[in-house]
Amino acid sequence: MNTTTIFINVFTFGCLIFAIIKDRIKTKQALTVSLKSFFRIIPSVLIIIIFIGLLLGFIPQSQISKIVGEQAGFGGVLIVALLGAFLHIPSLISFPLAASLLKSGASVTSVAVFITTLTMIGVVTLPLEIKELGKKMALMRNGISFVIAIIIGIIMGVFL
Amino acid sequence: MKDYVKEKGTQRKGMKRDAIILGITLIITIALLSIFPDKQEAVITTSWNFFIEMILILPAVMVLMGLFSVFVPKEMVVRYLGKAAGIKAVFLGILMGSLPTGPLYVAFPMASALIKKGAKISCIIAFISAWACIKIPQEVVELQFLGPKFMAARLILTIIFVAIMGILIERLIEWSDKKKQTNLRR
């Protein structure tokens, strides 16, 4: 167990104690919600974990770094940005996936861009966004987010 | 109530779909590993390590999400954001977006209600964007897998750029609305 794991669990435990002191009934309600969402997300977690195993086991590192690594240049960044925009996987499990890519030679820039477009841009949810907020606002938000994701990625690539 | 039933239905359908995809993934994996036995060890060790790492934090993350969703109700978010103004509104939008939980499609109707209540567009854009990509439980998982430096850098940059985007979109929409009005007057 590393420090992050311990920190997260202690922090959650603290919040839980605080919640119990504040409102016992609400806490029970919250734990039911937690349990339900836990079982809801477990299949997707397992899918991603198996996928990571296959990815790292079968595709040689040189291949991954050729597509999304430093030498891939801007084209590689653009590919992962588009991939992130179109894919619809829960953001929680995008982090292990991103970590595995980083481990096998992807650049910091492309990993940061991937996470950012994956979370901020939803091509799948775009119709709903247009319906609720109007075409102008929805398209502008998604479009500018795409540019922002690439800028954030490039800045992170320079500093990290 | 009707919405609630509908949501439950789609959730059940989603779970069924996930279970089917998991089954297919397992079958493909077993097939691949029996064709290439030399890859077995690498694939199983990698998956197992990621599984352990995930299972150590997932219950905590889920408890955090559950606590937030019950103790920070939607109405509270709408109440606070409805009357906020200025640059403060943008940062309040980011803060509120990062607090509660739920998928992105929950945020759209809320945002639409907030606009009708008179909230600023910059605030709404910041709210939706933060809802999408800055979540406390989510940041915790990012910290675990990508480390403190990566997580902090991405968090800070995202907050800055989301604030800029909110203000930019507000200006653009105001500008285009004004243009439309002058065109109508002619």
Side-chain angles (χ1 to χ4, degrees):
Chain A
M1 257 225 240
N2 60 21
T3 25
T4 317
T5 318
I6 295 168
F7 167 75
I8 292 163
N9 281 287
V10 169
F11 175 69
T12 308
F13 197 67
C15 288
L16 195 58
I17 299 277
F18 183 71
I20 290 173
I21 293 168
K22 254 198 127 184
D23 193 331
R24 204 173 275 237
I25 300 162
K26 266 191 180 175
T27 310
K28 216 172 156 190
Q29 228 178 323
L31 289 180
T32 323
V33 172
S34 314
L35 202 67
K36 270 189 198 150
S37 37
F38 181 75
F39 283 115
R40 207 178 307 138
I41 203 169
I42 272 291
S44 341
V45 170
L46 293 178
I47 294 167
I48 290 290
I49 284 171
I50 295 170
F51 178 74
I52 291 172
L54 290 175
L55 185 77
L56 297 192
F58 278 90
I59 301 172
Q61 294 199 357
S62 57
Q63 208 62 38
I64 293 178
S65 63
K66 207 190 268 171
I67 302 168
V68 289
E70 301 285 358
Q71 72 256 52
F74 195 69
V77 173
L78 214 57
I79 290 173
V80 282
L82 283 171
L83 212 61
F86 279 94
L87 279 181
H88 192 59
I89 49 177
S91 42
L92 273 184
I93 50 181
S94 70
F95 297 117
L97 184 61
S100 73
L101 286 174
L102 205 56
K103 214 187 236 169
S104 52
S107 65
V108 172
T109 304
S110 47
V111 168
V113 167
F114 178 65
I115 297 173
T116 311
T117 54
L118 188 70
T119 48
M120 280 229 265
I121 302 168
V123 173
V124 182
T125 50
L126 192 60
L128 186 67
E129 192 172 348
I130 289 175
K131 199 182 121 210
E132 294 283 354
L133 301 173
K135 215 180 212 164
K136 211 192 300 175
M137 201 157 145
L139 289 181
M140 254 198 254
R141 195 191 72 82
N142 283 280
I144 298 175
S145 293
F146 191 82
V147 179
I148 281 181
I150 292 174
I151 297 173
I152 290 176
I154 290 172
I155 296 177
M156 284 182 66
V158 171
F159 283 102
L160 296 184
Chain B
M1 199 61 206
K2 222 179 193 171
D3 276 356
Y4 177 72
V5 174
K6 211 168 102 194
E7 199 177 309
K8 220 169 181 188
T10 45
Q11 267 175 17
R12 200 162 293 159
K13 224 194 254 163
M15 277 187 83
K16 216 171 167 185
R17 191 200 54 209
D18 285 352
I20 293 169
I21 299 174
L22 178 60
I24 295 170
T25 317
L26 274 174
I27 293 168
I28 293 173
T29 310
I30 292 166
L32 274 174
L33 290 184
S34 43
I35 299 169
F36 303 97
D38 55 315
K39 303 274 189 193
Q40 266 178 27
E41 210 197 308
V43 172
I44 292 171
T45 328
T46 315
S47 291
W48 180 249
N49 287 343
F50 272 95
F51 176 72
I52 292 293
E53 223 172 315
M54 203 68 190
I55 216 70
L56 283 175
I57 54 162
L58 205 55
V61 170
M62 288 299 150
V63 168
L64 268 186
M65 283 174 46
L67 286 176
F68 274 118
S69 69
V70 171
F71 280 87
V72 186
K74 282 180 205 164
E75 298 77 43
M76 198 172 118
V77 176
V78 175
R79 188 158 17 120
Y80 273 101
L81 288 185
K83 55 186 175 187
I87 187 82
K88 241 204 298 194
V90 175
F91 287 101
L92 197 63
I94 293 177
L95 195 69
M96 285 289 176
S98 69
L99 270 187
T101 51
L104 195 57
Y105 60 76
V106 181
F108 297 139
M110 280 173 78
S112 159
L114 282 166
I115 292 176
K116 280 180 199 127
K117 275 198 162 185
K120 283 178 78 100
I121 289 171
S122 53
C123 170
I124 299 307
I125 294 287
F127 171 68
I128 298 174
S129 304
W131 185 298
C133 73
I134 312 166
K135 279 289 170 54
I136 292 170
Q138 197 175 299
E139 290 307 307
V140 154
V141 181
E142 183 168 2
L143 180 69
Q144 165 88 353
F145 281 96
L146 296 165
K149 252 203 239 155
F150 188 97
M151 175 260 198
R154 215 179 64 81
L155 181 63
I156 294 166
L157 288 171
T158 309
I159 291 175
I160 295 171
F161 280 104
V162 160
I164 294 172
M165 172 168 73
I167 293 164
L168 181 70
I169 291 182
E170 184 173 278
R171 291 276 156 82
L172 283 172
I173 286 183
E174 274 170 7
W175 175 73
S176 77
D177 282 351
K178 217 177 268 167
K179 214 169 97 180
K180 211 194 267 166
Q181 265 174 8
T182 45
N183 278 349
L184 279 176
R185 235 171 264 158
R186 270 178 213 160

